[in-house]
Amino acid sequence: MKLRSYMFLGLFISLFLSILPFSGNVTNAATPAVLSFTQNVQKTVLDNGLTVLTKEVHTAPVVSVQVWYQVGSRNEGTGENGISHQLEHLMFKGTTDRPVQFGRLFSALGSQFNAFTSFDETAYFGTVQRDKLEALLTLESDRMKNALIGSEQLTSEKRVVISELQGYENSPGYRLDREVRKAAFPNRAYGLPVGGTKADVEKFTVEQVRNYYQTYYSPNNATLVVTGDFSTEPTLKTIKATFGKLTKGKKTALKVSPAVTAVSTAKKAPIVLKQPGSAALLQAIYPLPDIKHPDVAAIDVMDAILTGGRSSRLYQAVIETGLASSVSGSAAELIEPGWYEISAIAAPGKKLSNIADNIQQSLTKLQQELVSSEELNRAKTQLQTGLILNNQDITSQASQLAYNQIIAGDYNYTEKYLSAIAQVTPQDVQRVAKTYLNPAKQTIGFFEPTQANGEPGTSSGGSGRTVENFSPGQPVDPAELAKYLPPTTSATNSNQQSLPEQFTLANGLKVLLLQDRSLPTINIRGKINAGNEFDSIQKAGLANLTATNLMNGTKTQDALTLAQTLENKGTELGFSASREGVSISGQGLSTSLPILMQTIADVVQNANFPADQLELSRQRELTSLKVQLDDPRGLGRRVFQQAIYPINHPFHSFPTIESLQSITREDVVNFYQQHYRPDATTLTLVGDFEPNQVKSLLNKAFGQWTAKGEPPVLNLPTVTLPIDLQQLNSVIPGKTESVTYLGYNGISRQDPRFYAALILNQILGGDTLSSRLGTEVRDRLGLTYGIYSGFAAGMNPGPFVISMQTAPQDTQKAISSTIALLKQFREQGITEAEFKTAKRSLINSYPVELASPSQVASIILENAILGLSASEIREFPQHIQAVTMTQVQKAIAELIKPENLIIVTAGPDNTITKGN
């Protein structure tokens, strides 16, 4: 059941996701008996048909409220493809009683909120401090029946949806998926894109959307889930007082797609797309039964055997052989019969037909020979453990329950699924492989790029004088907004955040431990001061190539042994280089802690960088580079950053084909020996462990690790702001949507203005639905799907950046509107009401961040790396509260400089305004 990556093929109204996909890749006996996904769950059905699931989880002072409607793209008729998604957007435009952007209301409550549309469902969710529970319930019940769906709202949000759809069109993978699914399901709604088509969206009428809303948005077609720190009985009273007064909707006739017709015995020729792009892509689809079919567990075990990690069959068949740069599989088990999908990205110069042949050989072998007990148990462990790891926070637990109830019709589905996983035999795997991986049932597509070298098109620069001058509307008055906010319950004393224990080993390795016995899991985060900042221009990419090769073998274990050791326990471990260090990320069940620690210690001390694996890694990096240069977001950010920072600054350096090809094994070994040191390493552990046992493990694993001399240090050159506004354009052939970055060098995390900068940014562009930029450029003008601003404040000053996605013909207008708003912001400052609302939003949302163990591990690590006190994790809200209005106004004067902007737009060539 991989609950579920396919849930998130749904389309999000915001660019930031606050919950993880439920795909797990995981043990026979590894699932602890103490963990029940449905323990404490109470199901209540109101008189109006609303299904309510409540689950008390008292691990953090937060609650998650989610409303899932059983309607998605599957329910759409001819000419209305995308109407479910369009309605999802309109659900944020206000109600008859609250005619304001709901994103502003959620933000004022400090909610982490979002929504998505998928094949079978549309969902809305928010996670808040526990005293905001009643307020969230009031808002969700209001928009279930009273949403404002008028011509003004539909006109502006149509533009936003079309911008979103055009953004997807930039992706070759999206275009290939659309063609393959359309061919696989020519007469079924699952063959249509969830977000719809531009042609259909443009034709939607107010009456059409309103009728769709009235048909499907009713209590008897919805499930409400509440998880977290609350008491069930009083909460149910509140639910009955809010949702219970809504009237039951008409019984909707369940739209059923045409029956799947008999499949031809002849294998179909591949669909071939020859279009501008970078990497060659493959996608194959096989029809599957629905989620209630008894074969689901065996199908998911089969998928884990094929694509579950490095030891999986397809990884070994096409990645270790150098044919592909990546391969993945996913089973979409939905309300109606779904599909199994295999996707791959070709390595440079490799033929898609050869990859397809190797994949088919692996599938045939699976059909002809029984899998080993070792492979079977590994696959089961990955599925079972993955479910636990992906449900460590209450938001994910709520989504799991809602998905089970809406799609499978039973919130207990996970328990039954795990039981079924445990019963799968080698014969079951062979049988489902024969049944469903039939070549005659396959639909396969190839994307063959017409720009084989992946090079971007031309770039041009100019003075950046914009041709239009827009006057922004007046900022939304928070006092006016406050009239529509439901009351919160009396403030509760938040649970006092525990502080980590910190110590340093004799060799200089820093460790921070935070015990959390709420779940049988462990989350490890680490940082080694060996990131991209140490790359030279000539060897750009060296730090990342070193990091990605750590798991390719040590003095005592080869790559496959390392992978199998971890994957046998369903444990995840990865290393990746960034601008300021190499990140270590590991998680697993608490019983896996010794293996995780031993593996980390082995690879950071004993990596041996086999030449053949290094070459395969280089080819994968070259593919990734080509994909990045073909993506307006990736290319735009690269050009933007290089325009801000001088050529001798570490933040200017980006990998090129030439630099990656020039890196030798000797370069990697020397970099590893120079930069991987205990006194440049920090580890954070959060989870279910005994501190004394961990200390013993650490001393045993890392005690012999030594470093010679002083660690390397950086001397950063001074970064000056441009004398005047500069505008650059990078053209990428074949794109439909533009991405623009505006900004300049900003501040570091240690800057005394940091907390004031957070508040000003929250007002300016911290959230696309509630900020000034979002209100102006997205809501009022409808020019962008999403617009955000932020300070990339790390150990060193990073850029202040505003990013947005626009249709090419709207780009210049959006830039001009943004500049005009920045000038207004600089000249007029902010109001007292905005100031208080932003502070309250930041303070109220912070406990939600701390409700996820993996997020807590990351926060503790970053605070330590940035030289902050260990108590910062507890004191952050006080720091925000202590900021004065005068300090924010001063920060605006010093940090908002519209006259010094670097502006970079990447996308189609019709973005560039003539005369600029």
Side-chain angles (χ1 to χ4, degrees):
M1 116 182 139
K2 283 209 169 178
L3 284 177
R4 180 66 104 244
S5 58
Y6 268 97
M7 189 177 92
F8 293 91
L9 279 179
L11 304 174
F12 284 76
I13 199 166
S14 166
L15 295 179
F16 291 145
L17 314 185
S18 62
I19 65 177
L20 294 170
F22 295 97
S23 84
N25 271 339
V26 257
T27 277
N28 240 352
T31 309
V34 296
L35 188 71
S36 168
F37 291 91
T38 53
Q39 189 175 10
N40 299 328
V41 175
Q42 181 173 324
K43 179 180 178 181
T44 307
V45 180
L46 303 190
D47 291 342
N48 59 11
L50 178 70
T51 299
V52 180
L53 301 175
T54 53
K55 181 181 181 181
E56 294 185 30
V57 185
H58 301 288
T59 54
V62 297
V63 290
S64 186
V65 173
Q66 306 195 11
V67 180
W68 289 47
Y69 297 91
Q70 194 175 68
V71 60
S73 59
R74 178 178 63 90
N75 303 86
E76 296 165 359
T78 304
E80 57 180 21
N81 180 214
I83 195 169
S84 303
H85 176 230
Q86 180 70 73
L87 178 55
E88 175 219 314
H89 277 246
L90 289 167
M91 290 289 283
F92 285 85
K93 300 297 279 187
T95 64
T96 50
D97 291 341
R98 295 180 174 85
V100 292
Q101 165 58 256
F102 261 44
R104 297 188 69 84
L105 297 175
F106 292 136
S107 182
L109 292 171
S111 176
Q112 280 191 1
F113 66 95
N114 216 318
F116 68 85
T117 306
S118 194
F119 300 101
D120 295 329
E121 77 275 18
T122 307
Y124 304 84
F125 48 92
T127 303
V128 291
Q129 277 187 294
R130 57 190 169 201
D131 56 309
K132 314 295 189 306
L133 171 58
E134 289 187 20
L136 269 194
L137 291 170
T138 300
L139 292 174
E140 289 296 354
S141 64
D142 186 16
R143 65 176 174 174
M144 182 177 277
K145 275 297 180 187
N146 305 313
L148 274 178
I149 302 175
S151 58
E152 181 184 345
Q153 290 84 9
L154 182 58
T155 299
S156 70
E157 213 59 29
K158 268 188 184 183
R159 292 189 72 177
V160 172
V161 167
I162 289 170
S163 172
E164 179 182 356
L165 297 181
Q166 294 296 94
Y168 297 139
E169 290 289 333
N170 280 349
S171 164
Y174 174 85
R175 302 199 298 271
L176 180 62
D177 174 73
R178 182 182 57 207
E179 296 305 314
V180 172
R181 274 196 297 112
K182 184 166 67 176
F185 308 113
N187 301 310
R188 298 181 59 206
Y190 285 166
L192 298 173
V194 171
T197 62
K198 182 180 178 184
D200 277 3
V201 170
E202 286 175 332
K203 295 174 187 172
F204 291 153
T205 66
V206 171
E207 182 182 29
Q208 188 182 13
V209 178
R210 193 179 288 149
N211 286 342
Y212 199 81
Y213 170 66
Q214 291 168 349
T215 300
Y216 291 106
Y217 278 58
S218 60
N220 48 310
N221 197 47
T223 293
L224 166 67
V225 182
V226 183
T227 57
D229 192 18
F230 66 94
S231 298
T232 301
E233 289 312 312
T235 298
L236 283 175
K237 287 182 182 177
T238 303
I239 290 169
K240 288 170 183 174
T242 50
F243 287 89
K245 65 186 179 185
L246 304 179
T247 57
K248 181 183 288 192
K250 294 178 182 178
K251 184 70 176 173
T252 57
L254 190 64
K255 179 180 178 294
V256 180
S257 295
V260 180
T261 55
V263 179
S264 163
T265 55
K267 187 174 180 180
K268 292 179 284 188
I271 297 161
V272 179
L273 295 187
K274 294 187 177 183
Q275 298 173 356
S278 53
L281 312 175
L282 173 151
Q283 182 172 339
I285 278 180
Y286 304 82
L288 286 185
D290 63 63
I291 194 169
K292 295 182 181 180
H293 195 280
D295 281 347
V296 162
I299 290 168
D300 285 358
V301 171
M302 175 191 75
D303 172 45
I305 289 168
L306 287 172
T307 65
R310 186 166 191 164
S311 62
S312 67
R313 293 195 175 192
L314 292 189
Y315 190 104
Q316 293 295 314
V318 299
I319 295 181
E320 290 290 1
T321 57
L323 287 173
S325 292
S326 72
V327 66
S328 61
S330 222
E333 292 129 352
L334 306 169
I335 289 178
E336 292 183 14
W339 64 92
Y340 182 64
E341 172 187 314
I342 297 172
S343 300
I345 302 177
K350 301 301 181 182
K351 292 182 178 179
L352 291 170
S353 58
N354 290 346
I355 297 173
D357 289 344
N358 270 34
I359 289 174
Q360 185 55 53
Q361 289 170 17
S362 296
L363 303 187
T364 301
K365 185 176 181 181
L366 196 62
Q367 294 165 337
Q368 293 175 346
E369 301 173 14
L370 293 177
V371 300
S372 68
S373 58
E374 180 186 6
E375 264 189 305
L376 183 69
N377 287 333
R378 184 186 306 130
K380 291 181 179 184
T381 302
Q382 288 177 320
L383 289 167
Q384 293 166 344
T385 306
L387 272 168
I388 298 170
L389 296 176
N390 290 328
N391 280 278
Q392 292 187 82
D393 62 273
I394 63 158
T395 303
S396 299
Q397 290 177 43
S399 297
Q400 184 82 59
L401 289 169
Y403 189 90
N404 289 350
Q405 183 64 38
I406 288 285
I407 309 304
D410 181 5
Y411 75 88
N412 289 296
Y413 183 76
T414 297
E415 311 285 13
K416 297 173 182 177
Y417 171 79
L418 287 171
S419 177
I421 290 290
Q423 302 303 315
V424 173
T425 66
Q427 289 78 11
D428 291 330
V429 175
Q430 184 182 46
R431 176 179 54 79
V432 296
K434 286 180 177 179
T435 303
Y436 302 110
L437 302 181
N438 182 344
K441 297 179 181 179
Q442 179 199 70
T443 304
I444 191 168
F446 295 163
F447 179 88
E448 298 180 353
T450 54
Q451 283 178 281
N453 62 358
E455 287 293 329
T458 58
S459 292
S460 64
S463 66
R465 299 287 174 238
T466 52
V467 293
E468 300 171 272
N469 184 25
F470 293 93
S471 298
Q474 287 303 306
V476 175
D477 182 5
E480 178 72 15
L481 187 75
K483 295 191 308 187
Y484 303 114
L485 269 175
T488 58
T489 55
S490 57
T492 53
N493 292 323
S494 292
N495 296 356
Q496 183 80 312
Q497 172 63 42
S498 300
L499 298 182
E501 176 187 0
Q502 53 183 342
F503 54 91
T504 304
L505 301 187
N507 57 14
L509 189 148
K510 301 180 189 66
V511 182
L512 297 102
L513 303 180
L514 183 63
Q515 192 180 49
D516 178 356
R517 309 308 292 265
S518 61
L519 285 170
T521 59
I522 185 76
N523 291 274
I524 297 177
R525 298 293 181 271
K527 190 67 74 78
I528 304 172
N529 192 22
N532 302 336
E533 69 269 36
F534 291 106
D535 282 351
S536 66
I537 293 288
Q538 294 75 22
K539 301 287 182 179
L542 174 59
N544 196 54
L545 201 57
T546 305
T548 56
N549 271 271
L550 292 174
M551 297 291 289
N552 280 339
T554 66
K555 294 174 182 175
T556 57
Q557 301 182 86
D558 63 15
L560 185 57
T561 305
L562 284 168
Q564 288 177 337
T565 300
L566 295 170
E567 290 165 10
N568 284 343
K569 297 287 187 183
T571 301
E572 301 169 8
L573 177 62
F575 297 82
S576 62
S578 63
R579 283 285 162 206
E580 295 188 328
V582 169
S583 295
I584 305 170
S585 179
Q587 62 175 1
L589 298 182
S590 46
T591 52
S592 302
L593 179 57
I595 285 174
L596 264 172
M597 295 305 302
Q598 289 157 12
T599 304
I600 294 170
D602 191 16
V603 300
V604 298
Q605 296 174 77
N606 303 312
N608 62 352
F609 305 104
D612 57 340
Q613 290 290 347
L614 181 63
E615 192 52 43
L616 289 174
S617 295
R618 187 201 316 275
Q619 296 306 310
R620 290 195 289 272
E621 290 299 314
L622 286 167
T623 302
S624 296
L625 174 60
K626 290 181 178 183
V627 170
Q628 183 193 73
L629 295 178
D630 186 54
D631 183 344
R633 293 168 300 178
L635 178 63
R637 186 60 190 249
R638 171 186 288 237
V639 175
F640 173 73
Q641 195 125 330
Q642 290 186 326
I644 292 175
Y645 297 100
I647 196 166
N648 59 339
H649 195 288
F651 289 4
H652 183 95
S653 170
F654 282 84
T656 64
I657 291 174
E658 293 73 25
S659 71
L660 287 172
Q661 289 176 335
S662 75
I663 295 170
T664 65
R665 181 179 178 277
E666 184 180 13
D667 293 328
V668 172
V669 171
N670 288 340
F671 188 90
Y672 174 71
Q673 292 173 342
Q674 184 179 8
H675 295 281
Y676 283 71
R677 316 164 43 104
D679 54 355
T681 302
T682 304
L683 288 177
T684 296
L685 287 81
V686 173
D688 180 22
F689 57 77
E690 288 294 340
N692 288 334
Q693 290 179 354
V694 172
K695 291 174 185 176
S696 176
L697 269 174
L698 287 164
N699 280 307
K700 185 177 179 182
F702 294 95
Q704 302 304 311
W705 193 15
T706 58
K708 297 177 182 177
E710 294 298 313
V713 293
L714 285 173
N715 295 309
L716 298 183
T718 302
V719 179
T720 57
L721 295 182
I723 297 172
D724 57 10
L725 184 146
Q726 296 179 20
Q727 190 161 356
L728 304 168
N729 296 279
S730 295
V731 176
I732 309 179
K735 302 305 173 186
T736 54
E737 196 79 348
S738 301
V739 174
T740 298
Y741 296 95
L742 307 89
Y744 37 75
N745 190 40
I747 59 175
S748 72
R749 177 61 177 84
Q750 290 280 12
D751 193 295
R753 299 167 294 183
F754 175 76
Y755 299 105
L758 279 185
I759 294 170
L760 83 81
N761 186 69
Q762 179 70 16
I763 297 167
L764 176 64
D767 185 285
T768 199
L769 295 185
S770 64
S771 63
R772 282 204 193 179
L773 284 169
T775 300
E776 177 68 18
V777 184
R778 185 192 190 279
D779 264 14
R780 191 170 81 86
L781 300 174
L783 297 175
T784 179
Y785 166 50
I787 182 167
Y788 298 93
S789 66
F791 289 89
M795 288 181 280
N796 302 298
F800 165 71
V801 60
I802 298 170
S803 61
M804 59 183 165
Q805 169 187 306
T806 55
Q809 67 272 19
D810 290 336
T811 298
Q812 206 60 48
K813 185 176 181 181
I815 290 171
S816 298
S817 301
T818 300
I819 294 171
L821 190 141
L822 287 173
K823 289 178 179 176
Q824 179 196 67
F825 196 64
R826 172 76 182 266
E827 291 161 6
Q828 299 178 15
I830 61 173
T831 65
E832 186 77 26
E834 278 184 307
F835 170 67
K836 290 179 178 177
T837 300
K839 285 175 73 168
R840 191 163 57 245
S841 178
L842 289 168
I843 291 169
N844 287 341
S845 64
Y846 187 64
V848 180
E849 298 282 328
L850 302 182
S852 164
S854 61
Q855 186 69 13
V856 168
S858 296
I859 291 172
I860 290 172
L861 174 68
E862 287 307 307
N863 288 346
I865 293 296
L866 294 166
L868 304 174
S869 163
S871 60
E872 173 69 17
I873 192 169
R874 179 186 290 172
E875 295 171 355
F876 174 82
Q878 289 107 284
H879 291 312
I880 295 292
Q881 188 60 51
V883 176
T884 66
M885 179 79 162
T886 301
Q887 288 173 323
V888 175
Q889 301 285 29
K890 185 171 183 286
I892 291 172
E894 294 173 355
L895 300 176
I896 301 302
K897 301 182 179 297
E899 66 278 5
N900 302 117
L901 286 169
I902 297 283
I903 304 170
V904 172
T905 298
D909 57 3
N910 54 343
T911 296
I912 303 172
T913 302
K914 297 291 183 280
N916 274 358

